[in-house]
Amino acid sequence: MRMTRQRRIILDELRKTKDHPTADMLYQSVRRHLPRISLGTVYRNLEILAEAGMIRKLEFGGASRMRFDATVSRHSHIRCVACGRIDDFPLDPDLNPEEYTAGINGYEVLGYNLEFYGRCPACKAKVK
Amino acid sequence: MRMTRQRRIILDELRKTKDHPTADMLYQSVRRHLPRISLGTVYRNLEILAEAGMIRKLEFGGASRMRFDATVSRHSHIRCVACGRIDDFPLDPDLNPEEYTAGINGYEVLGYNLEFYGRCPACKAKVK
DNA sequence: AAAATAATAGTAATGATTACTATTACTGAA
DNA sequence: TTCAGTAATAGTAATCATTACTATTATTTT
Ligand SMILES: [Mn+2]
Ligand SMILES: [Mn+2]
Ligand SMILES: [Zn+2]
Ligand SMILES: [Zn+2]
């Protein structure tokens, strides 16, 4: 993977913020450094950087757009139901989701979504 | 809310299955009873039924399409990473997510996503 | 029955993401 | 230092699930 000027700046801009910007938000800030970059390049590089494990791609249920995160260590998020803002939500491995009542990051916690992923019986059987 | 023929059949078809069909899958099965129904009507009624609390609308991170569920009581789901199939995943309120290692529904559990929602400090301040 | 209202079928628009393509930039031998 | 091979880019078009629009039809109320 070549670290092109475009790729470098996209990564730097993402690392600058504690937000979890969309591709388009990132496109806007990268454009201040590279006015001729295209949105497609931003998408492609975010995908490649995520693939390489240098950033994380976040897709929330209910929200239409993907978000990107420079923090790759495992953590959860909390989304404001009013404005859509997304903040980090550090997990305590000893707590179950019901027990997070304290207002982390100043948020009022209203609820959570928990979904699992895995391999179904049929797909397990197929490839072993 | 009028219980039209279309709305009734959409609800019935959803209740017939333990799957978590997309709007289009439902559209296909409803069409066997009402060949002239439009996809827009299916979407609109699913929205209205969800609003009324008669069904649940599910939106998973990573999956592009919304899913619908006739079971309205609180439960989680597990998605097969290979084929996209979605099954119910009953939650034990005393367990934290890490502890679901046993293969529920015959699934091999690979991981989970946990996201919270609430109101951020700014939005809390705004409307009280 | 007439008027008011709700819902529908069919179609168009939306919008985020992905795909395509001709051009440009980098790389690493000869 | 060429020069071929490859990777990446800018710009644009396509995709596709969902939503919006609109003229018509169905149901309820008066
Ligand atoms: Mn984060
Ligand atoms: Mn379910
Ligand atoms: Zn907010
Ligand atoms: Zn499967």
Side-chain angles (χ1 to χ4, degrees), chain A residues 46-87:
Chain A
L46 288 170
E47 190 63 45
I48 288 168
L49 290 167
E51 199 80 18
M54 302 175 72
I55 66 172
R56 273 179 68 191
K57 183 161 86 170
L58 311 175
E59 308 185 68
F60 295 91
S64 42
R65 336 233 283 274
M66 24 176 96
R67 301 289 192 130
F68 297 90
D69 193 338
T71 305
V72 293
S73 58
R74 183 148 180 72
H75 63 285
S76 277
H77 295 96
I78 184 162
R79 175 165 33 104
C80 177
V81 297
C83 71
R85 182 186 168 79
I86 290 168
D87 277 295

Side-chain angles (χ1 to χ4, degrees), chain A residues 2 4 6-7 36-37 41 44:
Chain A
R2 294 181 189 163
T4 61
Q6 288 88 342
R7 196 163 289 160
R36 304 199 54 85
I37 197 172
T41 296
R44 184 166 22 78

